[in-house]
Amino acid sequence: MTAVLTGWRHLRSGKVRDLYSNDKDELLIVASDRISAFDVILPEAIPCKGQVLNQIAAKFLKATSDIVPNWLMAVPDPNATFGIKCETFPVEMVVRGYLAGHAWREYKSGKREVCGVSLRDGLKENDRLPKPIITPTTKAHEGHDEDISREAILANGVVEEKKYVQLENYALALFQRGTEIATDQGLILVDTKYEFGENDGIIYLIDEIHTPDSSRYFYADVYEDNQKNGLPQKQLSKEFVREWLIKNGFQGKDGQKVPEMTPSKCNEISLRYIELYEKVTGETFVPANNEDIYERIERNVT
């Protein structure tokens, strides 16, 4: 469902967010309860998910505004953020401090290079990398994002070199700040992605940052023992949804069917999102009145 908001025109809907603009060419983003995995929107919504994403993103945008200007101007509703409209750079800056998720799946398949970044032999899943690496992807409004190397970005003029270097510097500085914040909460920021845009020649951090949809966290207190003993890491991220889908034969490929998302499964996913919110922010999650989310959003935005 996409809301009709008085005074705002609907620009487009992404996998999770609905984008609107007003007559001042400003932007309103509504975080829905939709959930996606493998670049596919799953058939059932997850209660409170949009609020979790919106509020975590707002908190960390404010906590990193000294590193890079960001698009946030105000948060008029638990599910909505109002800000500066930017021309989006067509790449996502994925920063990895550990070998996990997609990078691990590529490595496990025998590849020793991810997005042009070389990885040594002998690594195990979830091993810490010598230093954080950037493994960019293309930014697709629809369909699948694709891995791309720094060299290809520059050679094909996807982003001019001077600006791309600035994006790299911003991404690594943001990852360092996110790592420090996570450490204070007893977590490890494993990997995450950042998106940037430009307005009037100024680069802005846009979209969400350090949320369970864009990031992966491990629990710091058990990390070393689990690695030493070859055990799975206790983590907070959307990876558990991907693992459930893979286990049930779905990876977003043609002909595959999404397994049934029962009310019980949706509630389980919701509770995991709320757990991450409370763990990563150190605050108690207070669900908004969700009887009619879009009516509430329109009232608050207006």
Side-chain angles (χ1 to χ4, degrees), residues 56 59-67 173-189 209-210 217 279-282:
I56 291 178
K59 182 180 181 69
F60 288 118
L61 285 168
K62 293 173 184 175
T64 56
S65 60
D66 60 315
I67 296 174
L174 289 165
F175 190 78
Q176 178 60 34
R177 178 67 56 81
T179 296
E180 293 165 0
I181 294 171
T183 298
D184 289 343
Q185 296 300 125
L187 296 172
I188 294 169
L189 179 59
I209 67 166
H210 301 163
Y217 294 89
K279 184 63 181 174
V280 78
T281 66

Side-chain angles (χ1 to χ4, degrees), residues 249-276:
F250 183 80
Q251 288 182 266
K253 298 177 181 177
D254 291 342
Q256 294 181 337
K257 184 179 179 182
V258 177
E260 182 185 6
M261 296 179 68
T262 63
S264 174
K265 174 57 69 174
C266 292
N267 185 60
E268 174 194 336
I269 295 171
S270 177
L271 291 175
R272 291 285 292 271
Y273 270 84
I274 291 170
E275 178 188 2
L276 190 142

Side-chain angles (χ1 to χ4, degrees), residues 21 30 49 59 160 182 207 229 236 249 265:
S21 184
V30 175
K49 176 180 176 287
K59 182 180 181 69
E160 66 177 80
D207 200 51
N229 296 310
L236 287 170
K265 174 57 69 174

Side-chain angles (χ1 to χ4, degrees), residues 56-247:
I56 291 178
K59 182 180 181 69
F60 288 118
L61 285 168
K62 293 173 184 175
T64 56
S65 60
D66 60 315
I67 296 174
V68 54
N70 65 61
W71 74 285
L72 185 148
M73 293 171 66
V75 185
D77 181 90
N79 285 69
T81 298
F82 171 66
I84 300 166
K85 187 177 179 182
C86 298
E87 185 68 30
T88 305
F89 287 102
V91 292
E92 293 185 353
M93 305 298 284
V94 181
V95 185
R96 302 180 184 278
Y98 295 74
L99 186 61
H102 170 69
W104 165 248
R105 289 189 284 270
E106 293 288 284
Y107 187 90
K108 186 180 179 182
S109 73
K111 296 180 181 179
R112 291 296 178 267
E113 185 177 282
V114 181
C115 301
V117 179
S118 297
L119 299 170
R120 66 174 177 82
D121 287 329
L123 295 175
K124 304 191 304 296
E125 183 177 13
N126 302 326
D127 272 353
R128 184 176 181 177
L129 300 172
K131 64 179 181 179
I133 62 173
I134 296 176
T135 58
T137 68
T138 59
K139 175 61 181 168
H141 291 316
E142 295 181 3
H144 295 277
D145 298 337
E146 300 288 345
D147 287 351
I148 189 171
S149 68
R150 182 186 200 273
E151 291 71 23
I153 290 170
L154 299 181
N156 296 317
V158 178
V159 180
E160 66 177 80
E161 184 170 5
K162 182 178 179 181
K163 291 180 181 179
Y164 188 74
V165 169
Q166 188 65 71
L167 300 187
E168 289 180 314
N169 292 337
Y170 281 148
L172 292 173
L174 289 165
F175 190 78
Q176 178 60 34
R177 178 67 56 81
T179 296
E180 293 165 0
I181 294 171
T183 298
D184 289 343
Q185 296 300 125
L187 296 172
I188 294 169
L189 179 59
V190 177
D191 52 40
T192 191
K193 61 99 175 170
Y194 303 107
E195 295 184 45
F196 297 92
E198 195 171 23
N199 182 295
D200 198 23
I202 299 173
I203 294 176
Y204 290 88
L205 175 63
I206 62 172
D207 200 51
E208 64 178 18
I209 67 166
H210 301 163
T211 74
D213 271 20
S214 66
S215 312
R216 188 189 327 269
Y217 294 89
F218 290 157
Y219 282 81
D221 60 345
V222 294
Y223 172 76
E224 293 295 346
D225 283 345
N226 285 344
Q227 281 303 98
K228 188 186 304 180
N229 296 310
L231 298 174
Q233 289 297 335
K234 184 180 180 183
Q235 64 173 282
L236 287 170
S237 71
K238 198 170 65 172
E239 185 67 15
F240 76 96
V241 176
R242 298 186 192 96
E243 290 173 349
W244 171 70
L245 291 169
I246 292 171
K247 184 179 178 181

